[in-house]
Amino acid sequence: MKVNKELLKGSTTILILSLLERKEMYGYEMIKEIEIKSSGVFSFKEGTLYPILHSLESEGLVEAFWLEGEGTRKRKYYRITEKGKGQLKEKQEEWKTFRSAVEKVMWEGIVWG
Amino acid sequence: MGVNCSSRIEEYMNEVCGHIKFKEVHKEIKLELESHIYEIVDEYMNNGLSKEAAVEKAILQMGDSVTVGKQLNSTHKVKPDLGILVTVAVLLSVGLIALYSIEAVVNSYYRHASFLFTKTVVITIAGIAIGSLMYFFDYKKLKPFCKHIYLLNLLIITFITITGNRVRGIGYLTFRDITINYIYVSPWIFVISYAGILKEWEWDKFINSLLGIALLLLPFMIYLSNAGAVAVIYFTTLIVVAVASRVNLINIIMLMGCPLVVGMFFVMGNEYRIQRFIAMLYYKADTLGTGYMYVQCKEAIKSAGFFGKGFKAVLQVPETKTDFIFTYIVYSFGWIAGIIVVALAVLFIIRMVKVANMVKDSYGKIMIKGFIAIFGVQFVWNVLMNLGLAPIVGVGLPFISYGGSQLMASMAVVGIISSIFRRKNLAAGIA
């Protein structure tokens, strides 16, 4: 099932930050994780991940560093910052309120409809 | 076959980067996206696909190059830091208004015409031009030349000290009609050089560490024979840059110790300097001698009131256009104006500290910290001196006091800081 693009756009920040809260990752690794965890619901054009990562970086929510990967390939890793953790908490709260509100409306819709 | 595949990826990358206006990020973005593409290709090839098919699928998966490029362009759109530029613009305007008022007073009371204001307008425009040049110039290109910059700067100040025309003890550089107050400009140049040298200097080796300390103290000695104020500015800046470069503690203590001893002898060995210091402490006792300036400034500031005496106020204090412009501003435009100037200076410094913390590249970061030290000492000393709380020396109020070389240097430095800010997200050392 494909999810509406607009819905995806708002949630990628929270998705990326919560991934990075667990460990440092590079772009490709993030895409794989998201795909597996969401059972393929979230699959997007992989190049568009980088504009998001780079803007998170310039906002100081994540920081990046290069590491030598397996073989000779260099990988750019991202790590969440303290500011990023704070932002994530806020977004999680927001998401919870949003979700419970949607659920409430949907329930009432079913009961009264 | 291999060539074909890599050229296909290259082509994709060029399409993406073609949309990103800030060229200095191209290298890193290419490296990052290429690495991603190769990860996908590897995976497909492990699943038995041919390399060509794998590359095609990988590029398809990356998405439209126009979309990716345009999105990256908007995240990497670079702007200078507005906080710094706005505070500087307001400080410059305050200075221009004060100088305009002083010029008007001089022209109405004396026969000879004064062009303080006009000259400063021209210098400000030139400063904006130099600052903009610095903004577009990649400061990292200076790094390989740090040692040369040090040597050249040292040579120039030595030359000025030996041969230059001296005005009140300070050597000036003169070309025909133009005199450049290079001694006051040179600490900025040392910061640019030390930000690169100190980190890489091998402090662990005993001989190197001694040599390093000697090389750093040499300018200090030269400054002492010119102007004590510049020596203090240099010394503070040196310690800040050394700490920012993580020079080890023993060397920093040595750096701090030697000048203090030399400085003590210097002050003690000169009766005039002792007198000036004592005058500051007991200014009331001697209102006609060395305490004169303190009493004049205090009276002027005290009598100003909240809103001052107004535009074109006449103040009988020497050097109102340079070192005592703060007193003039308070006298004419009131305590409120004084508070505004101090608040602007504080905002300017705080904003620079924030910018320094945002910068990843250590060369740029150390350089900004050194600049903060110079601006900081200038602001603090000048204001305290105007309030009668610090010895009177030749230290102007940055962006406000009259003086071409200083103003141009300060504006060029704001350009360099903006240049560092604009490149703050670029990681250093991407080969």
Side-chain angles (χ1 to χ4, degrees):
Chain A
M1 190 182 91
K2 287 274 178 221
V3 171
N4 182 300
K5 249 189 180 169
E6 283 306 305
L7 198 60
L8 193 62
K9 217 178 185 178
S11 49
T12 31
T13 310
I14 188 170
L15 277 178
I16 290 169
L17 287 179
S18 37
L19 280 183
L20 291 177
E21 203 194 15
R22 268 164 259 148
K23 63 171 185 172
E24 298 160 354
M25 288 176 145
Y26 55 99
Y28 180 71
E29 205 182 354
M30 286 180 220
I31 297 270
K32 283 279 136 193
E33 284 274 321
I34 294 175
E35 241 183 71
I36 293 166
K37 289 238 165 81
S38 74
S39 348
V41 171
F42 295 131
S43 74
F44 43 88
K45 290 295 176 194
E46 304 183 12
T48 55
L49 172 71
Y50 292 97
I52 301 167
L53 280 174
H54 292 184
S55 55
L56 288 178
E57 191 189 358
S58 69
E59 286 164 41
L61 303 178
V62 302
E63 52 190 18
F65 56 99
W66 285 87
L67 272 186
E68 213 73 41
E70 295 151 37
T72 51
R73 188 172 300 146
K74 273 186 164 183
R75 282 167 177 167
K76 195 178 177 191
Y77 280 82
Y78 292 84
R79 173 198 297 143
I80 194 165
T81 60
E82 284 307 312
K83 194 177 165 194
K85 283 178 191 164
Q87 178 88 355
L88 178 62
K89 229 176 210 168
E90 237 171 71
K91 288 262 172 189
Q92 279 168 340
E93 288 304 314
E94 235 173 66
W95 181 250
K96 267 184 210 158
T97 350
F98 175 72
R99 197 182 58 187
S100 71
V102 169
E103 276 172 359
K104 243 186 206 166
V105 172
M106 277 171 63
W107 266 108
E108 279 173 21
I110 289 164
V111 171
W112 301 110
Chain B
M1 195 173 84
V3 177
N4 205 0
C5 290
S6 61
S7 74
R8 180 71 190 91
I9 295 172
E10 181 76 24
E11 191 189 318
Y12 177 78
M13 287 316 311
N14 285 340
E15 279 165 28
V16 169
C17 287
H19 294 279
I20 307 169
K21 285 200 189 102
F22 187 34
K23 294 218 166 52
E24 286 165 45
V25 291
H26 285 187
K27 210 183 208 172
E28 197 179 351
I29 286 175
K30 269 186 185 167
L31 213 58
E32 188 175 23
L33 292 192
E34 259 171 25
S35 135
H36 190 121
I37 293 174
Y38 280 120
E39 303 269 3
I40 307 175
V41 169
D42 281 354
E43 198 189 308
Y44 279 128
M45 283 174 71
N46 282 341
N47 290 340
L49 237 60
S50 76
K51 191 165 186 186
E52 272 137 348
V55 168
E56 277 315 313
K57 282 195 94 167
I59 287 175
L60 200 70
Q61 226 165 293
M62 290 304 280
D64 180 24
S65 60
V66 180
T67 318
V68 175
K70 278 188 176 161
Q71 283 181 7
L72 280 168
N73 183 47
S74 70
T75 43
H76 289 280
K77 216 167 245 163
V78 282
K79 313 175 221 55
D81 181 62
L82 270 186
I84 289 181
L85 292 191
V86 170
T87 40
V88 168
V90 180
L91 284 168
L92 284 170
S93 319
V94 170
L96 282 172
I97 294 168
L99 288 175
Y100 186 77
S101 172
I102 294 171
E103 181 183 277
V105 171
V106 173
N107 287 348
S108 61
Y109 281 82
Y110 302 95
R111 298 250 163 222
H112 62 87
S114 159
F115 299 108
L116 282 181
F117 175 74
T118 327
K119 274 187 192 163
T120 307
V121 168
V122 173
I123 291 163
T124 307
I125 291 168
I128 291 171
I130 293 176
S132 316
L133 268 180
M134 291 295 162
Y135 172 64
F136 289 110
F137 176 72
D138 183 2
Y139 69 97
K140 282 178 196 142
K141 295 207 171 106
L142 291 171
K143 202 179 173 189
F145 302 105
C146 280
K147 285 179 184 165
H148 308 86
I149 294 171
Y150 167 83
L151 274 179
L152 188 67
N153 203 26
L154 185 70
L155 277 178
I156 299 175
I157 60 171
T158 313
F159 173 78
I160 295 172
T161 307
I162 296 170
T163 66
N165 296 331
R166 290 202 177 215
V167 181
R168 281 181 300 164
I170 303 159
Y172 281 77
L173 202 58
T174 35
F175 296 111
R176 298 184 186 183
D177 297 344
I178 305 166
T179 53
I180 301 172
N181 195 348
Y182 191 81
I183 294 288
Y184 274 82
V185 174
S186 57
W188 300 112
I189 315 276
F190 277 126
V191 168
I192 294 172
S193 136
Y194 292 167
I197 298 177
L198 290 197
K199 210 177 159 62
E200 267 135 51
W201 194 266
E202 290 167 44
W203 292 100
D204 302 334
K205 290 184 193 159
F206 182 65
I207 296 187
N208 264 357
S209 128
L210 279 188
L211 185 67
I213 288 171
L215 287 175
L216 294 174
L217 291 181
L218 206 55
F220 181 73
M221 306 299 282
I222 295 170
Y223 286 139
L224 270 186
S225 69
N226 272 283
V230 190
V232 174
I233 290 173
Y234 174 80
F235 175 64
T236 319
T237 311
L238 177 58
I239 299 300
V240 168
V241 175
V243 171
S245 313
R246 307 229 161 82
V247 172
N248 58 36
L249 199 62
I250 301 168
N251 287 309
I252 291 181
I253 291 171
M254 296 250 282
L255 273 178
M256 287 173 82
C258 300
L260 284 181
V261 173
V262 175
M264 280 280 259
F265 275 108
F266 182 75
V267 173
M268 290 304 167
N270 189 323
E271 217 170 305
Y272 172 64
R273 291 201 167 79
I274 301 174
Q275 259 180 26
R276 265 205 294 193
F277 191 69
I278 293 173
M280 183 189 75
L281 298 177
Y282 303 103
Y283 66 92
K284 278 181 187 149
D286 179 21
T287 51
L288 290 176
T290 35
Y292 174 76
M293 282 305 293
Y294 289 109
V295 175
Q296 291 297 309
C297 288
K298 280 214 162 168
E299 281 304 310
I301 288 175
K302 227 185 244 170
S303 69
F306 268 106
F307 301 105
K309 308 272 178 191
F311 192 64
K312 289 198 207 180
V314 183
L315 178 63
Q316 297 292 352
V317 170
E319 295 308 323
T320 45
K321 64 176 191 286
T322 55
D323 298 346
F324 291 97
I325 199 162
F326 183 76
T327 302
Y328 185 80
I329 289 169
V330 174
Y331 185 72
S332 341
F333 309 113
W335 297 338
I336 295 220
I339 292 166
I340 289 173
V341 169
V342 171
L344 282 169
V346 171
L347 273 178
F348 176 61
I349 301 280
I350 289 176
R351 196 57 218 164
M352 279 196 295
V353 172
K354 282 205 172 144
V355 166
N357 288 331
M358 280 186 229
V359 174
K360 282 198 281 186
D361 168 45
S362 69
Y363 178 53
K365 202 183 191 94
I366 296 170
M367 212 193 290
I368 297 186
K369 287 183 179 169
F371 291 150
I372 294 173
I374 299 186
F375 277 128
V377 173
Q378 285 182 343
F379 274 121
V380 171
W381 197 336
N382 183 278
V383 170
L384 289 182
M385 173 175 108
N386 273 268
L387 297 174
L389 299 171
I392 294 177
V393 290
V395 173
L397 200 55
F399 306 110
I400 293 184
S401 285
Y402 176 73
S405 321
Q406 281 274 68
L407 184 55
M408 293 251 241
S410 303
M411 291 179 76
V413 165
V414 170
I416 297 176
I417 293 172
S418 306
S419 157
I420 298 173
F421 179 80
R422 148 187 156 99
R423 295 168 173 85
K424 70 179 188 304
N425 288 326
L426 298 175
I430 298 292

